[in-house]
Amino acid sequence: MSPVLADLAAGRRALTHEALDALPDSPPLAHLRQVLVSVGALPERDEYMVRLERFLTGLLASQQDPEQRKVLHRYAIWHLTRRLRRRNNGRPVTPQQFASTRQRTHAAVAFLNWLTAHGLTLETCRQADLDRWLTDDSATYRYIAGHFIRWARTNKLTTVHVPAVRWNGPTQPLDDEHRWNVARRLLHDDTLNPEDRLAGLLLLLYAQGPSAIHRLTTEDVEIGVQEVRLHLGDAPIQLPEPVAHLARTVVANRKGHATIGALTPSRWLFPGGQPGRPISTTQLTQRLNRLGIRPNQARSTALFQLATEIPAHTLGIHTDAAVAWQRLSAGDWATYAAEVSHRYVPGRQ
């Protein structure tokens, strides 16, 4: 990065995002860019949206068939990207959203290329052809392409159909005893990192996944004289002790690389490795793993219980997901609770 810094200092390279975009992408360049953003030398921008737009522009330009390029443009730009912007409502695109959109676009290309290789189009493709695609071991992205195929059918571009996979609940056993054992340790073990303890408790007690936890800011924490409230959804929830004490501690003692080079204290509750950025979901997941927490399974266990106890809007859970969990927990709770009761040891804390 020394030559880049020298060029910027000497005015040989403009201090703009566009000038940095012309350089080969690398982690050091990304870090430099974020430092420049943090000190106010560059404006903030949605990096993953920029990467997504760049990816889609290149992919569409590489399509030789005009009709195929037109369909992909409608799907990737006017459907996937527009829906992503609407859902985020001003929030930056996450790495997971970027990866999902890119994967779905690749799947659409793979299916269209398969059709072309077999002398077919979306219009001439029949259900028997689609079934052949789904059983063709040489075909790639076979099941991910279902999203594109359902979109094409909705828009009357094809008559074939791939049903969406119905979610019927968690595929792994729900171990509520393990959840509470880990939660008790996080509540009382002062030798652990307060940030890790708070993040783990938000997952175990309030079913917040890493993608939600890493986006929390200090503005989401209301610290009063006698109580601490946390905004996870539409309405704040009051944190009990000692979770409230942990939240106070984390807000007051935030550290990490993200504060280096910043003009003001980081707004993120869990700062990350780049100035002005929160901890990545990957790094947060790794830290939770070291505490004995597997986020997906632990969150499923928490959701199973919370579905019948806490309104979904206070946890930031989508209504459809909440309804599904309520159905599952209402139907299976008696059996599950009975099974857990057999493992309970009287007098155990």
Side-chain angles (χ1 to χ4, degrees):
M1 286 294 100
S2 296
V4 176
L5 289 172
D7 288 345
L8 291 173
R12 292 188 295 270
R13 184 179 297 276
L15 184 54
T16 63
H17 281 296
E18 291 72 21
L20 295 182
D21 289 341
L23 296 170
D25 193 19
S26 68
L29 179 62
H31 185 80
L32 172 62
R33 187 196 300 273
Q34 199 53 45
V35 170
L36 294 172
V37 170
S38 297
V39 299
L42 285 177
E44 184 75 50
R45 74 174 187 178
D46 189 340
E47 288 299 327
Y48 277 102
M49 178 56 77
V50 171
R51 288 179 60 181
L52 179 60
E53 291 173 341
R54 188 182 303 141
F55 159 74
L56 292 176
T57 298
L59 183 140
L60 292 172
S62 68
Q63 303 303 308
Q64 301 299 318
D65 186 306
E67 288 302 316
Q68 183 167 313
R69 183 168 58 248
K70 181 179 178 181
V71 170
L72 286 172
H73 188 276
R74 287 182 60 187
Y75 175 65
I77 303 297
W78 293 106
H79 178 61
L80 293 180
T81 305
R82 186 171 63 174
R83 186 180 64 168
L84 181 58
R85 292 183 188 278
R86 184 172 63 251
R87 284 184 172 180
N88 283 13
N89 193 27
R91 296 190 302 271
V93 174
T94 67
Q96 292 77 14
Q97 290 173 326
F98 167 75
S100 175
T101 303
R102 184 174 59 178
Q103 192 175 48
R104 285 178 170 177
T105 307
H106 276 310
V109 172
F111 180 62
L112 291 172
N113 286 343
W114 185 89
L115 290 177
T116 300
H118 290 79
L120 299 167
T121 65
L122 281 172
E123 185 178 4
T124 61
C125 181
R126 297 295 176 260
Q127 196 65 39
D129 300 314
L130 180 62
D131 293 341
R132 184 154 53 105
W133 148 268
L134 292 173
T135 57
D136 187 344
D137 291 336
S138 66
T140 55
Y141 297 100
R142 284 180 293 172
Y143 298 102
I144 300 174
H147 185 274
F148 168 70
I149 296 169
R150 288 188 291 275
W151 169 85
R153 179 183 173 90
T154 300
N155 286 272
K156 303 186 185 327
L157 301 178
T158 187
T159 59
V160 298
H161 178 60
V162 176
V165 178
R166 183 186 178 92
W167 183 75
N168 291 311
T171 58
Q172 296 177 312
L174 300 179
D175 192 344
D176 203 44
E177 183 177 359
H178 174 72
R179 170 190 168 221
W180 283 113
N181 286 339
V182 176
R184 278 192 288 267
R185 180 189 173 208
L186 297 182
L187 286 168
H188 303 294
D189 190 345
D190 293 334
T191 65
L192 298 175
N193 183 308
E195 287 188 5
D196 293 348
R197 292 171 64 189
L198 179 61
L201 289 168
L202 290 178
L203 193 152
L204 295 171
L205 302 183
Y206 299 102
Q208 300 300 297
S211 61
I213 295 172
H214 94 117
R215 292 197 303 265
L216 291 173
T217 70
T218 55
E219 296 176 355
D220 293 318
V221 186
E222 296 180 8
I223 299 180
V225 177
Q226 297 182 335
E227 63 183 27
V228 176
R229 294 179 178 273
L230 180 63
H231 289 264
L232 298 175
D234 296 337
I237 58 174
Q238 182 175 338
L239 298 179
E241 294 294 350
V243 184
H245 175 72
L246 275 174
R248 293 176 187 270
T249 301
V250 170
V251 170
N253 299 282
R254 283 169 303 122
K255 298 178 181 180
H257 301 295
T259 59
I260 299 175
L263 295 178
T264 58
S266 174
R267 61 188 288 265
W268 302 107
L269 190 59
F270 301 97
Q274 289 188 348
R277 295 290 186 186
I279 187 174
S280 69
T281 54
T282 299
Q283 185 181 7
L284 180 57
T285 298
Q286 291 173 348
R287 288 168 64 168
L288 292 173
N289 287 343
R290 288 196 289 269
L291 295 173
I293 300 173
R294 298 297 177 264
N296 288 340
Q297 186 173 5
R299 184 169 184 263
S300 294
T301 306
L303 277 171
F304 193 81
Q305 180 170 348
L306 294 175
T308 57
E309 298 177 356
I310 299 179
H313 68 90
T314 63
L315 299 178
I317 299 172
H318 193 278
T319 304
D320 292 343
V323 170
W325 278 103
Q326 286 176 336
R327 173 178 52 80
L328 285 167
S329 58
D332 300 332
W333 182 252
T335 303
Y336 177 69
E339 193 275 328
V340 170
S341 68
H342 289 303
R343 292 182 289 155
Y344 177 72
V345 179
R348 183 174 180 177
Q349 299 298 316

